[in-house]
Amino acid sequence: MRSPDRTELTPLDFLRRSAFVYPDKTAVVHGDRSYTYREFELRVRRLAAGLLGAGLQPGDRVAFLSPNTPPLLEAHYGVPASGGVLVAINTRLAAAEIAYILEHSGARYLFVDRALAGLIDEDALAGDGVSLVRIDDTGAPEDPYEAFLGSAVGSAVGSAEPPPLAAGPADEEDPISMNYTSGTTGRPKGVVYTHRGAYLSAIGELIEAEMTPGAIYLWTLPMFHCNGWCFTWAVTAVGGTHVCLRDVDPGRIWALIESEGVTHYCGAPTVQIMLVNHPSARRLDHPVRTMIAGAPPSPTLLEHLRALNFEPIHAYGLTETYGPTATCVWHADWDDRPPEEQARLLARQGQGFVTSDMMRVVDEEGRDVPRDAATMGEVVMRGNIVMKGYFAQPEATAEVFRGGWFHSGDLAVWHPDGYVELRDRAKDIIISGGENISTIEVEQTVARHPAVLECAVVAVPHDEWGERPKAFVTLKPGADATEREIIDFCRDRIARFKCPDAIAFGPLPKTSTGKVQKYILRDREWAGREKRIN
C-alpha cells in the first residue's frame, strides 16, 4: 500500500534541488554564454509558465527540433513542469519524417532551431493548429525563444516572476517524454518514458558513469536520442556542468576537453573512432570517462581509447530501455591482464544497471539458454527502465512485451560469469550453409587491421551457400589495403567459413546517432534477388 506522505519520483526534483544547493554554480555553458543553476532554474520556470500561458493542457505534446543547445536542455524540465510531454525530434530526419512524427504524436507546440526551419511547413502546421516558436540560439532579447520566455513575466502569469516549479506529476507513471525509434523497418514508433523511469534511469547513469558534483559533461551525444540517454537529467542531479555543442566536430571536442576540463561525455563507436583518429588526438593529462553505446565497440577501439587516457564505459540498451540499461562493469582481477584481453572482456555488454533488472538470454520458448558463451538466444529485459509502451500502438506494445518481458530482437550468448555478449541483431545474423556467422565477430576481426577505420558486415547472396559475409570498409586517412590483404588477415584469426568473401571500400551509411545503416547495404546487395536462408 502506498504511503500517504510519499512523493512521486520525477527528475524535476533534480533541478529544484541543484538550484537550491548550488545556486551560483555554472550549470550550462554554450560558447560564450553560461548560466548558473539559479538562472537555469529561472529560465525553466519561464518556459513552463509560457507554455501554460499559451494554453497548454495536461498531457499535451510539445515538440522540439533542435541541436544540443540550452533551449532543448531547458525543455527537458520546462515541458514536464508545465504538465506537457516532450517530443525531441531527430534533427537528421527528412521533412516528411518530421511531419509524420508531429502528426502521430499529436504535438500542439513546436519549437524549431533556425538552422532546421527549412524542414518545417509552417502553413501546414498552422492549418493543424500547431503553435510554432523559432529558436535563433543567440540568447539575445530579440531571439523568438527568448521572447517566449519573456512572455511568462507579467501579463502571462500575472506577476513579475513565474511561479516555482510544479511539485511533480500526480502519478510518477505519467509520461514525461516520447522518443521515436529510427524507423528503419517501418514507420517510427513513439516510445513513452515516464517520470519514474526517467528518474531511475538518470540515477543509474550517475552510478555507472561515477559522476560527482565536479562533473563537466560535454554534449557530443544528441539530446534528442533517448533524451540524451537521460544525461539531460543525470548531470543536473549532481549539480554538474552541461557543456552544449551544436555539432559533432572532433577537433572542437578535443579543444573543449582541454579548455572546459571535460570529465565525461557519451557517444556511439563512430564518434569515438573519429576522436581517436583525429590529428589532435593525444594522451590526456586527466582521465575522461566516456560511455559507449548504440552499437558494439570493437576491442581495438576500446584499447585505443584506454591508451589515450579515456576510461570507456561500455553500455547497452535501446530506445525502449531509456537508452543504456546495462553495462560491462570492470573487475579488479582484469587489471593485470594484457591490454588486448582487457579490451575483449570490456567489449561484452555485461549486465543490468543497479536501477534495472537483470538481463536474460532466452530461447524461442522463453527459457534461459545455457551460460556457456556459445548458445545463442534473444536478450530480454524488464523492470524500472523499460518503456511504458508504444504511443497509440497497443498491438505492437503487446507483441514486444510477450511473456511479460521486453524482447529486444538482439541475439547474444550468456557467459559463465553472467555477462551477456551480443552476437547480432536477429535480422543481421548470417546463415551460411547451415552455419551461423556473427557479423559482430567478423567486424571486430576486420577492425583489428591497422589500415581499417571502421567496417560493417552484411549477408550477400551466394549460389551454393545461400548467403556469405561481405565487409564494407572505410580506411584510415592515408592508409592503404587491398581486398586480399584484409581477407587473409581475417583468415589468420577466425575460422575460414566466417571470413568475408569480398571487401568493398568507401564511406558507410549511418543514422544521425552514428549507427551504421546495414539495411541499406543489405538491400543494395539483394536487389532483384529473393533472400534465401539455408
Side-chain angles (χ1 to χ4, degrees):
M1 181 176 178
R2 178 178 295 187
S3 170
D5 60 350
R6 194 196 84 167
T7 58
E8 305 298 301
L9 297 182
T10 173
L12 297 178
D13 286 342
F14 299 153
L15 179 57
R16 186 181 297 109
R17 178 183 184 276
S18 288
F20 185 87
V21 175
Y22 308 109
D24 299 317
K25 186 177 181 182
T26 299
V28 183
V29 174
H30 185 45
D32 58 1
R33 278 183 278 153
S34 66
Y35 303 108
T36 65
Y37 265 101
R38 179 186 288 108
E39 292 168 330
F40 182 24
E41 192 258 1
L42 177 59
R43 290 173 63 81
V44 165
R45 284 196 281 139
R46 286 177 170 170
L47 174 58
L51 287 167
L52 290 170
L56 180 138
Q57 298 299 309
D60 279 351
R61 273 72 69 197
V62 181
F64 268 70
L65 182 62
S66 169
N68 289 348
T69 63
L72 182 52
L73 179 60
E74 291 157 6
H76 281 79
Y77 299 89
V79 171
S82 68
V85 179
L86 175 63
V87 182
I89 301 177
N90 186 330
T91 59
R92 303 282 182 85
L93 295 179
E97 295 169 309
I98 293 170
Y100 170 80
I101 289 173
L102 291 171
E103 178 184 5
H104 183 268
S105 67
R108 286 196 56 205
Y109 307 86
L110 172 62
F111 292 73
V112 59
D113 185 85
R114 54 178 165 76
L116 303 167
L119 296 172
I120 301 301
D121 185 337
E122 295 191 26
D123 292 337
L125 290 177
D128 292 335
V130 178
S131 299
L132 182 67
V133 177
R134 196 179 76 246
I135 303 169
D136 284 349
D137 191 27
T138 64
E142 59 270 19
D143 184 330
Y145 176 79
E146 300 296 325
F148 185 84
L149 299 189
S151 72
V153 179
S155 59
V157 293
S159 65
E161 291 292 347
L165 290 178
D171 188 331
E172 61 189 22
E173 293 292 347
D174 285 348
I176 190 172
S177 66
M178 282 168 41
N179 291 277
Y180 276 79
T181 59
S182 60
T184 57
T185 57
R187 286 290 199 180
K189 296 185 283 290
V191 176
V192 178
Y193 291 3
T194 67
H195 284 257
R196 175 183 175 83
Y199 182 102
L200 292 171
S201 178
I203 295 297
E205 302 288 5
L206 289 180
I207 294 170
E208 303 303 343
E210 297 184 15
M211 276 192 166
T212 67
I216 300 174
Y217 182 88
L218 179 60
W219 274 106
T220 52
L221 180 77
M223 291 184 197
F224 67 69
H225 184 46
C226 306
N227 299 119
W229 294 351
C230 294
F231 278 91
T232 45
W233 298 303
V235 177
T236 301
V238 292
T241 299
H242 299 264
V243 180
C244 295
L245 185 65
R246 284 185 66 94
D247 301 297
V248 175
D249 177 341
R252 177 72 174 148
I253 291 170
W254 277 104
L256 286 170
I257 287 175
E258 182 172 347
S259 66
E260 299 296 333
V262 170
T263 62
H264 295 75
Y265 74 93
C266 297
T270 295
V271 173
Q272 311 286 354
I273 289 169
M274 291 166 57
L275 286 179
V276 300
N277 288 281
H278 192 268
S280 299
R282 60 174 180 81
R283 183 169 175 81
L284 295 167
D285 296 330
H286 68 281
V288 174
R289 296 183 69 78
T290 176
M291 186 170 283
I292 307 172
S298 70
T300 304
L301 173 59
L302 294 171
E303 192 173 347
H304 287 169
L305 284 166
R306 289 171 64 84
L308 294 172
N309 206 18
F310 290 103
E311 296 180 353
I313 307 161
H314 180 199
Y316 162 67
L318 305 94
T319 302
E320 289 88 343
T321 62
Y322 293 74
T325 187
T327 186
C328 186
V329 177
W330 187 265
H331 287 250
D333 63 358
W334 299 355
D335 290 345
D336 298 327
R337 302 192 187 191
E340 186 173 341
E341 184 180 356
Q342 290 179 341
R344 179 181 59 78
L345 290 166
L346 190 59
R348 300 181 299 170
Q349 281 61 47
Q351 261 301 341
F353 281 7
V354 172
T355 51
S356 67
D357 207 341
M358 301 288 280
M359 295 189 299
R360 297 168 59 215
V361 182
V362 301
D363 62 20
E364 293 181 354
E365 302 300 322
R367 298 170 300 204
D368 291 351
V369 303
R371 298 186 187 183
D372 57 8
T375 306
M376 280 201 297
E378 183 182 14
V379 181
V380 296
M381 307 95 143
R382 68 180 179 186
N384 291 303
I385 52 178
V386 176
M387 68 169 181
K388 189 171 185 176
Y390 294 122
F391 178 70
Q393 292 184 278
E395 296 85 2
T397 300
E399 168 61 21
V400 80
F401 278 109
R402 60 191 182 277
W405 289 77
F406 170 72
H407 288 253
S408 68
D410 287 330
L411 299 180
V413 297
W414 210 343
H415 284 264
D417 64 1
Y419 274 21
V420 169
E421 182 177 8
L422 289 194
R423 284 290 186 258
D424 240 319
R425 290 289 294 173
K427 64 178 179 293
D428 291 338
I429 199 76
I430 299 172
I431 307 175
S432 182
E435 295 280 0
N436 288 349
I437 301 173
S438 162
T439 62
I440 293 174
E441 181 183 8
V442 182
E443 287 164 357
Q444 291 181 348
T445 303
V446 174
R448 292 167 62 187
H449 191 286
V452 172
L453 180 68
E454 57 184 338
C455 73
V457 173
V458 301
V460 299
H462 191 279
D463 290 337
E464 181 178 358
W465 303 113
E467 54 188 26
R468 292 288 300 144
K470 179 175 180 178
F472 293 80
V473 171
T474 303
L475 296 176
K476 294 177 181 177
D480 189 31
T482 66
E483 178 180 58
R484 176 47 52 192
E485 286 172 352
I486 292 178
I487 292 175
D488 288 344
F489 180 87
C490 293
R491 287 181 172 180
D492 289 340
R493 290 160 176 81
I494 56 176
R496 290 204 167 198
F497 80 88
K498 298 179 180 179
C499 295
D501 282 1
I503 309 290
F505 296 97
L508 304 178
K510 298 172 185 173
T511 68
S512 59
T513 55
K515 291 184 182 180
V516 176
Q517 295 172 305
K518 287 189 177 182
Y519 75 96
I520 293 178
L521 302 174
R522 195 163 41 236
D523 290 350
R524 187 185 304 158
E525 296 294 325
W526 288 87
R529 300 273 305 251
E530 180 179 352
K531 186 164 185 181
R532 184 180 75 194
I533 301 293
N534 290 343

